[in-house]
């Protein structure tokens, strides 16, 4: 047979094998078995093996071996340290056609322990790739000395390329599975996420609508007390609690259980199919609460949590996926308002609340987008209460129907709607606009404190956003002072420290806001670049009559002194507050005793108009 005919015969056989549906559907070991068997049969060789590099790349490991007697996936290794010439040839020559393997410089190191005992005389090796990277080799070994022909070499290279394609396809499948996991599953618990839940609800809702049969119930589960656990024991313990609750819910067997998802920090959703009668759901809700209420033992602590549950039906209460989700969430919030650790079914009165919350979120989104939020300013005074030292910027929203809204009325909605970063950017821009207006009027404003949410200080781009915004309005970054709550500094320390240090390097100064209400370690306080502590108003309101508040406030002032930080007391309303704090060495005072938060024009009129 001429070389051309041999070439065509070999490649036709390979094409028929590799493109057959049966081959494509096989697992990797079966594919390697078929390819090596074909190679051994057509080229009449005694041994065909497939080898691959492990991650260390200090050796190759056999993945499959076909011999005249058997085929196996048993592992054996060939180390580079004992066979440097062979590994060098693989990297440089790629295809090794060896007539006399026992004496060839590239392969003779194998002779004593391998080639001679097995009577291997000739070898033909071709490279296997993973993308552009050499990932392995296919090796043919003959007990007869032979000169490998061009069709044989071409065929072995084609076999190696087929294995390379298998590698590429498997890597693609792995990346797709990893991408699907990231986009559809929660990394902490391994449960489905909100997007998976939405898709499942949508699929089943369409089926119910088409058939006119069936029902769904969604149980929204919110774990109570998680914030106090994070504050008191740290976020790692909080994560462990979340993971344990997820494990318990996953193991729970209840009628009609379809899909369990983690849909928020401390929130889960359980979808129930068909078993949606009220009595059945009440029993299911009771069992969920019993599971969550069992004490959780972690790192020497016995931790007790509860759960508030909201239940909504489709099609009974709603018709669409979003309506089911919002209805169950609204019912959960209703359960919380009734005293927590209970279950609440959706009804028409809750529907008004859910719709109102949804509308308010959309209106807030529009207000942020259109830059219509306002900023009021509250003075921060010297300890004697006589001199204006700085200002705190406080966001306000003039709602077209509800009038002026304070942050407590919409920050929760902003946070649940993922709007906190955009809201913070909106406030920063408004502060810079006001600074510029004052500057144009010949007024030099004192340092302005701007609050940063946890959702802002975790974003590496925050310092550049602040620099660019300040530059746009001609505001020096040193004119700003940023306040960060204790709970906001519990994330990755290195990333957080880098962001805060960059702000300080740009000229800004930093405060810890609401100190004493969150959880922060002294090591973090002394390592992060803060210059000021703000004592939360809850410790000030009962001064000087409450002994506990006096002790806590004195300890915070002492801690600040030890760390070289200045102190601001919030919520100063009476002369008694002022005198007690002044005498104990508090640096700055803020509260209604001096001024309520003022609109910008009123601030200028009251504090900066010359008499």
């Amino acid at each position: 047979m001429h070389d051309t005919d041999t070439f065509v015969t070999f490649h036709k056989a390979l094409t028929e094998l590799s493109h057959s549906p049966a081959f494509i559907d096989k697992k990797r070991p079966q594919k390697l078995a078929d390819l090596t068997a074909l190679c051994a049969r057509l080229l009449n060789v005694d041994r065909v093996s497939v080898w691959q590099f492990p991650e260390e790349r200090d050796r190759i490991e056999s993945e499959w071996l076909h011999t005249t007697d058997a085929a196996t996936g048993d592992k054996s290794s060939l180390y580079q340290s004992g066979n440097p010439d062979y590994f060098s040839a693989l990297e440089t020559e790629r295809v090794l056609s060896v007539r006399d393997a026992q004496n060839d410089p590239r392969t003779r190191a194998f002779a004593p322990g391998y080639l001679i005992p097995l009577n291997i005389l000739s070898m033909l090796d071709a490279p296997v790739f993973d993308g552009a990277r050499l990932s392995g080799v296919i090796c043919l070994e003959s007990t007869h000395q032979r000169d490998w022909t061009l069709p044989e070499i071409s065929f072995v290279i084609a076999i190696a390329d087929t294995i390379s394609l298998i590698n590429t396809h498997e890597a693609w499948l792995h990346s797709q599975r990893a991408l699907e996991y990231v986009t559809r599953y929660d990394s902490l618990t391994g449960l489905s996420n909100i997007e998976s839940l939405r898709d499942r609800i949508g699929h089943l809702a369409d089926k119910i609508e088409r058939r006119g049969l069936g029902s769904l119930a969604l149980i929204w589960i919110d774990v109570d007390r998680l914030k106090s656990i994070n504050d008191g024991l740290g976020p790692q313990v909080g994560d462990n609690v979340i993971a344990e609750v997820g494990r318990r819910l996953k193991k729970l067997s209840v009628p009609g259980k379809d899909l369990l998802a983690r849909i928020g920090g401390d929130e889960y959703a359980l979808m129930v199919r068909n078993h949606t009668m009220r009595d059945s759901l009440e029993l299911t809700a009771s069992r969920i609460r019993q599971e969550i209420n069992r004490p959780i033992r972690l790192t020497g602590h016995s931790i007790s949590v509860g759960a508030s549950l909201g239940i909504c039906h489709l099609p009974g209460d709603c018709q669409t996926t979003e309506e089911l989700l919002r209805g169950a969430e609204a019912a959960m919030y209703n359960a919380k308002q009734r005293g927590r650790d209970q279950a609440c079914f959706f009804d028409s009165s809750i529907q008004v609340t859910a719709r109102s919350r949804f509308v308010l979120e959309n209106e807030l989104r529009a207000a942020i987008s259109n830059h219509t939020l306002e900023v009021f300013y509250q003075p921060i005074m010297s300890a004697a209460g006589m001199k204006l030292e700085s200002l705190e910027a406080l966001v306000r929203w003039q709602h077209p129907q509800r009038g002026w809204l304070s942050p407590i009325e919409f920050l929760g909605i902003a946070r649940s709607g993922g709007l906190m970063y955009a809201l913070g950017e909106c406030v920063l821009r408004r502060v810079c606009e006001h600074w510029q207006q004052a500057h144009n009027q010949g007024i030099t404003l004192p340092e302005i404190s701007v609050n940063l949410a946890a959702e802002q200080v975790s974003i590496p781009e925050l310092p550049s956003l602040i620099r660019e915004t300040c530059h746009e309005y001609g505001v020096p970054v040193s004119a700003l002072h940023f306040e960060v709550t204790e709970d906001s500094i519990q994330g990755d320390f290195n990333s957080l420290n880098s962001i805060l240090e960059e702000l300080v390097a740009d000229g800004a100064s930093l405060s810890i806001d609401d100190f004493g209400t969150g959880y922060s370690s002294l090591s973090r306080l002394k390592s992060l670049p803060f210059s000021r502590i703000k004592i939360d108003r809850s410790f000030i309101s009962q001064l000087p009559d409450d002994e506990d508040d006096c002790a806590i406030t004195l300890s915070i002032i002492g801690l600040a002194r030890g760390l070289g930080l200045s102190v601001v007391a919030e919520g100063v309303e009476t002369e008694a507050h002022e005198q007690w704090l002044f005498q104990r060495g508090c640096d700055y005072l803020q509260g209604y005793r001096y001024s309520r938060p003022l609109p910008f024009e009123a601030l200028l009129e009251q504090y900066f108009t010359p008499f």
Side-chain angles (χ1 to χ4, degrees), residues 368 371 373-377 393-396 410-411 420-434 449-451 456 469:
I368 293 172
H371 194 51
L373 294 178
E374 242 337 313
V375 170
F376 284 21
Y377 297 89
L394 300 165
V395 65
R396 295 290 187 270
F410 60 85
L411 283 188
M420 290 299 291
Y421 190 85
L423 187 149
E425 181 179 355
C426 187
V427 170
L428 174 66
R429 187 167 293 276
R430 180 66 78 195
V431 168
C432 289
E433 285 178 356
H434 286 159
S449 292
V450 179
N451 291 284
Q456 293 174 273
T469 305

Side-chain angles (χ1 to χ4, degrees), residues 237-312:
V237 175
D239 285 348
N240 290 338
V241 170
I242 286 294
E244 175 59 22
V245 169
R247 282 190 289 270
R248 293 182 182 185
L249 292 175
K250 189 174 182 178
K251 290 179 181 179
L252 186 63
S253 177
V254 294
K257 182 178 181 180
D258 184 274
L259 181 71
L260 174 67
R262 183 188 179 206
I263 52 178
D266 57 357
E267 294 176 319
Y268 298 87
L270 175 65
M271 189 161 60
V272 176
R273 291 180 66 187
N274 299 327
H275 294 262
T276 57
M277 297 296 289
R278 190 179 183 96
D279 289 349
S280 177
L281 289 173
E282 285 179 343
L283 182 59
T284 294
S286 176
R287 292 192 58 197
I288 290 171
R289 288 173 43 238
Q290 287 173 10
E291 278 298 309
I292 295 176
N293 286 342
R294 287 194 295 111
I296 298 172
R297 290 176 173 82
L298 294 170
T299 61
H301 299 281
S302 180
I303 300 170
S304 296
V305 295
S308 299
L309 279 58
I311 305 169
C312 188

Side-chain angles (χ1 to χ4, degrees), residues 377-515:
Y377 297 89
Q378 187 172 35
I380 299 175
M381 312 298 289
S382 64
M386 299 298 292
K387 181 185 176 185
L388 175 64
E389 291 287 342
S390 58
L391 302 166
E392 181 178 2
L394 300 165
V395 65
R396 295 290 187 270
W397 179 17
Q398 188 169 31
H399 189 275
Q401 284 80 42
R402 306 183 188 197
W404 285 109
L405 299 181
S406 64
I408 196 171
E409 296 174 273
F410 60 85
L411 283 188
I413 292 172
R415 182 160 279 114
S416 65
L419 299 174
M420 290 299 291
Y421 190 85
L423 187 149
E425 181 179 355
C426 187
V427 170
L428 174 66
R429 187 167 293 276
R430 180 66 78 195
V431 168
C432 289
E433 285 178 356
H434 286 159
W435 191 96
Q436 185 184 60
Q437 290 175 28
H439 182 73
N440 291 341
Q441 297 176 44
I443 297 171
T444 301
L445 294 176
E447 185 180 66
I448 300 175
S449 292
V450 179
N451 291 284
L452 295 178
E455 292 84 349
Q456 293 174 273
V457 295
S458 61
I459 304 298
E461 294 75 21
L462 176 67
S464 61
L465 168 71
I466 292 171
R467 281 195 300 271
E468 291 165 7
T469 305
C470 287
H471 178 73
E472 180 181 346
Y473 291 94
V475 179
V477 177
S478 58
L480 302 179
H481 186 117
F482 294 102
E483 299 186 5
V484 182
T485 64
E486 281 188 275
D487 291 338
S488 299
I489 63 172
Q490 300 309 309
D492 176 65
F493 178 81
N494 291 331
S495 174
L496 176 69
N497 188 51
S498 176
I499 292 168
L500 297 182
E501 289 283 5
E502 191 172 348
L503 290 177
V504 172
D506 289 338
S509 48
L510 302 174
S511 292
I512 299 181
D513 194 16
D514 299 337
F515 189 81

Side-chain angles (χ1 to χ4, degrees), residues 570-608:
E570 298 180 296
V572 178
E573 297 185 357
T574 68
E575 182 180 357
H577 291 163
E578 180 184 82
Q579 290 300 315
W580 192 91
L581 291 163
F582 175 65
Q583 292 167 7
R584 269 69 183 178
C586 185
D587 300 290
Y588 306 108
L589 308 175
Q590 178 181 357
Y592 285 1
R593 173 159 175 79
Y594 314 107
S595 175
R596 291 178 176 273
L598 298 170
F600 180 62
E601 295 301 333
L603 175 79
L604 294 186
E605 182 178 347
Q606 183 168 333
Y607 286 94
F608 298 97

Side-chain angles (χ1 to χ4, degrees), residues 343-360:
C344 182
F345 284 84
F346 184 84
D347 61 30
S348 57
S349 64
I350 294 174
Q351 186 173 14
V352 174
T353 304
R355 189 172 297 147
S356 174
R357 185 179 179 87
F358 176 66
V359 169
L360 198 62

Side-chain angles (χ1 to χ4, degrees), residues 166-177:
I166 293 171
N167 290 344
T168 301
H169 180 65
E170 288 177 346
W172 179 82
L173 288 176
H174 177 75
S175 67
Q176 289 298 107
R177 285 192 292 268

Side-chain angles (χ1 to χ4, degrees), residues 184-186 189-198 200-201 218-221 246 249-250 257-264 266-271 325:
R184 302 189 63 81
Y185 293 90
D186 171 58
T189 63
L191 299 174
S192 299
N193 63 15
I194 186 92
E195 295 307 318
S196 298
L197 179 65
R198 279 196 175 96
R200 182 62 176 163
I201 294 172
L218 186 67
I219 304 177
W220 193 292
I221 306 162
L249 292 175
K250 189 174 182 178
K257 182 178 181 180
D258 184 274
L259 181 71
L260 174 67
R262 183 188 179 206
I263 52 178
D266 57 357
E267 294 176 319
Y268 298 87
L270 175 65
M271 189 161 60
L325 287 165

